[in-house]
Amino acid sequence: MRHQSLAGTALLFLSLLQTGCGSSGGTSSATVTTPAQQTPSQPQTPQLSIKVPTAANSWVEGNSKETESIIQTNGIRNWRRSSDTIVTYLRLGKTGELELALNAKVLSGTSALEVSLGGVSKKVELSNTALQQVYVGKFSVSKPGYQKIVLRGISASAEVFADINDIFIGGSAVGSDSYFIKDEFYWGRRGPSVHLNYPSPTNAAVEYFYSELTVPAGQDVIGSYYMANGFGQGYFGIQVNSASERRVLFSVWSPYETDDPSKIPPEDRVQLLRKGPEVQTGEFGNEGSGGQSYLVYPWRADNTYKFLLKAKPGDNNSTDYSAWFYAPEQASWRLIASFRRPKTQTWLTHHHAFLENFIPEAGQFSREAQYGNGWIRTAAGEWLPLQQASFSYDDTAKRQSRWDYQGGVKNGRFYLKNGGFFDDFTTYGSKFSREATAAPVLDLTQLP
């Protein structure tokens, strides 16, 4: 429901090419021979049957740039540096024994890898040049929830450590309550989108929607969109596009349903009425289509920003939507844009907020947003607080591909959290309430 740029493309990165070398670590160590190295007198290692694709469930730890280079659509590739640690996540519903094997190969010679879980490390040597299941060993799972499998490169004869397509799992800790991303790799790697849905406290026509949004320190992760004012026909919030760029984003969907804006008939196109200084406008696609506007603005974590949205149905079977943004650094309201949506006669409906990540390589990081002091104003001029909210999530969570989703009340504000593979998830449909605060003091006639 949000777009990273007008073209909707993700950031592209280049990896540094260096020969991998390093040293191992961990609390225990065991050298494992591959099946190709075994003699007839050695016992056969077990063949595990449950396959965890590395393409969907692995990241270069803490590094989105290297993740895009190394984690490819067919698995781990181009892994050259010992400083690039690979992490793979899966969720287990019970404790017990977890057995691991790598579906891997080397390009030539021999590679040594370290595989760790729960503070225990095992060393495995690879010399097979065709993909095969290479047994690593058994690990103890002491608590259910997300498990973090860590791969480190120790040494390699070739330029890369290994190609690893999958991690195979088995053992008493694995069962029907074991979860990982099996399909929809792109959406699964992005992680679950989470939502707060505000029931309207009135049946009267709603003209304005006001809210305040705070991103806590350290939670302003690249690839995050913190949507403050959602409504039935669009959304309004802030996002982190890169290390050097942040935006205020306001979009309105066309009534014509398509992911390709070029296919929208002229009579169904969202029309720009006006925009604020320095605001960029255009069209968006890929997740519905319509009119988009954004202001490049260096908003900061821990600062509270204000959002005001207006809807006004016209008498020509259209509705005008306007969005204003208040930055404490400038102590003034700024117009983002006003759009006219054709074939629409409505006041503001479906008041909501959401939080999402739009860069798959950043799905390994947690992000949080706090939503405070939400209000609506009726067309008759009455301000009413939004004190209730219910929690929901998207199809990624419904498919049980990811379980790192959360919402609730914190410090008198509603909050949302996702990504990073934490264990304490919130049940779909959970309801929250907060204390009412002071109504916004606004001179609506003086808005730019």
Side-chain angles (χ1 to χ4, degrees):
M1 297 176 69
R2 80 53 274 137
H3 309 276
Q4 178 191 357
S5 66
L6 296 180
T9 58
L11 300 175
L12 298 177
F13 300 107
L14 298 175
S15 64
L16 300 176
L17 305 180
Q18 297 181 8
T19 300
C21 60
S23 59
S24 63
T27 58
S28 66
S29 177
T31 301
V32 182
T33 57
T34 71
Q37 295 171 314
Q38 291 174 342
T39 66
S41 62
Q42 291 177 306
Q44 292 294 309
T45 56
Q47 292 291 297
L48 307 179
S49 60
I50 299 178
K51 182 172 65 174
V52 180
T54 56
N57 299 279
S58 301
W59 287 260
V60 176
E61 188 169 33
N63 193 324
S64 296
K65 175 181 177 181
E66 292 302 318
T67 295
E68 188 167 30
S69 173
I70 293 173
I71 311 301
Q72 302 294 309
T73 56
N74 52 355
I76 297 171
R77 300 291 188 271
N78 307 316
W79 183 19
R80 305 168 187 270
R81 305 192 307 174
S82 58
S83 58
D84 289 331
T85 300
I86 311 296
V87 291
T88 303
Y89 293 93
L90 64 146
R91 191 176 192 279
L92 302 179
K94 56 187 175 181
T95 61
E97 197 173 72
L98 177 63
E99 294 188 81
L100 298 180
L102 305 179
N103 182 23
K105 69 175 183 178
V106 296
L107 302 185
S108 62
T110 301
S111 288
L113 307 179
E114 179 188 82
V115 183
S116 305
L117 189 147
V120 175
S121 300
K122 300 181 185 295
K123 181 180 176 182
V124 58
E125 292 185 352
L126 308 176
S127 59
N128 51 294
T129 55
L131 281 171
Q132 65 182 51
Q133 190 175 134
V134 180
Y135 188 70
V136 175
K138 300 176 181 179
F139 297 83
S140 177
V141 175
S142 59
K143 68 176 186 66
Y146 270 112
Q147 311 299 319
K148 180 180 177 181
I149 302 168
V150 182
L151 303 178
R152 293 184 175 90
I154 301 173
S155 63
S157 301
E159 194 175 1
V160 300
F161 287 110
D163 289 349
I164 306 174
N165 283 25
D166 313 283
I167 296 178
F168 282 88
I169 61 173
S172 61
V174 178
S176 59
D177 52 358
S178 301
Y179 301 96
F180 49 89
I181 303 167
K182 301 179 179 68
D183 51 19
E184 294 286 359
F185 287 6
Y186 171 78
W187 296 104
R189 289 177 65 75
R190 280 176 42 158
S193 297
V194 287
H195 326 119
L196 291 170
N197 305 287
Y198 306 124
S200 179
T202 180
N203 291 323
V206 176
E207 186 175 9
Y208 289 91
F209 176 13
Y210 170 92
S211 75
E212 298 178 4
L213 169 66
T214 307
V215 178
Q219 300 298 307
D220 49 341
V221 180
I222 294 174
S224 302
Y225 181 46
Y226 312 87
M227 203 283 293
N229 288 23
F231 55 106
Q233 294 75 36
Y235 47 89
F236 180 28
I238 56 177
Q239 62 186 29
V240 187
N241 293 77
S242 71
S244 60
E245 183 177 307
R246 299 177 179 215
R247 295 180 180 179
V248 181
L249 183 72
F250 171 50
S251 296
V252 176
W253 283 302
S254 164
Y256 186 87
E257 294 186 9
T258 178
D259 286 342
D260 183 354
S262 67
K263 293 182 179 179
I264 301 175
E267 64 274 14
D268 289 324
R269 293 187 180 274
V270 173
Q271 177 185 355
L272 175 68
L273 301 178
R274 62 189 66 86
K275 66 184 183 72
E278 302 176 324
V279 172
Q280 305 296 311
T281 59
E283 294 179 320
F284 69 86
N286 299 323
E287 297 174 352
S289 296
Q292 182 188 78
S293 61
Y294 68 88
L295 170 68
V296 175
Y297 182 80
W299 60 266
R300 305 170 193 167
D302 266 349
N303 282 0
T304 297
Y305 296 91
K306 302 175 183 179
F307 301 80
L308 182 66
L309 180 71
K310 177 184 180 182
K312 189 77 171 179
D315 48 9
N316 57 347
N317 193 26
S318 67
T319 298
D320 294 347
Y321 297 93
S322 300
W324 294 268
F325 172 72
Y326 183 92
E329 301 88 359
Q330 298 180 342
S332 63
W333 286 97
R334 298 185 62 163
L335 172 69
I336 301 302
S338 291
F339 289 110
R340 177 164 292 163
R341 188 180 197 259
K343 300 182 180 179
T344 308
Q345 277 277 297
T346 184
W347 298 91
L348 288 174
T349 61
H350 187 37
H351 322 300
H352 66 282
F354 69 77
L355 172 63
E356 71 173 7
N357 163 51
F358 55 86
I359 298 179
E361 292 74 26
Q364 61 179 309
F365 304 120
S366 281
R367 58 196 56 76
E368 181 181 314
Q370 297 179 5
Y371 302 85
N373 204 26
W375 292 76
I376 57 173
R377 185 179 187 270
T378 67
E382 182 184 11
W383 284 104
L384 298 169
L386 297 173
Q387 295 177 256
Q388 311 297 320
S390 63
F391 176 79
S392 63
Y393 46 64
D394 69 352
D395 192 56
T396 294
K398 290 177 182 178
R399 296 166 70 92
Q400 300 180 320
S401 295
R402 295 281 290 262
W403 292 72
D404 42 354
Y405 46 80
Q406 196 178 100
V409 179
K410 186 182 294 186
N411 302 322
R413 302 164 173 167
F414 298 122
Y415 81 93
L416 291 171
K417 179 180 178 181
N418 69 353
F421 301 97
F422 54 82
D423 286 329
D424 297 328
F425 62 88
T426 300
T427 302
Y428 190 99
S430 295
K431 299 185 185 308
F432 320 116
S433 61
R434 66 170 182 87
E435 295 296 324
T437 46
V441 179
L442 293 172
D443 185 349
L444 300 176
T445 64
Q446 297 301 309
L447 291 171

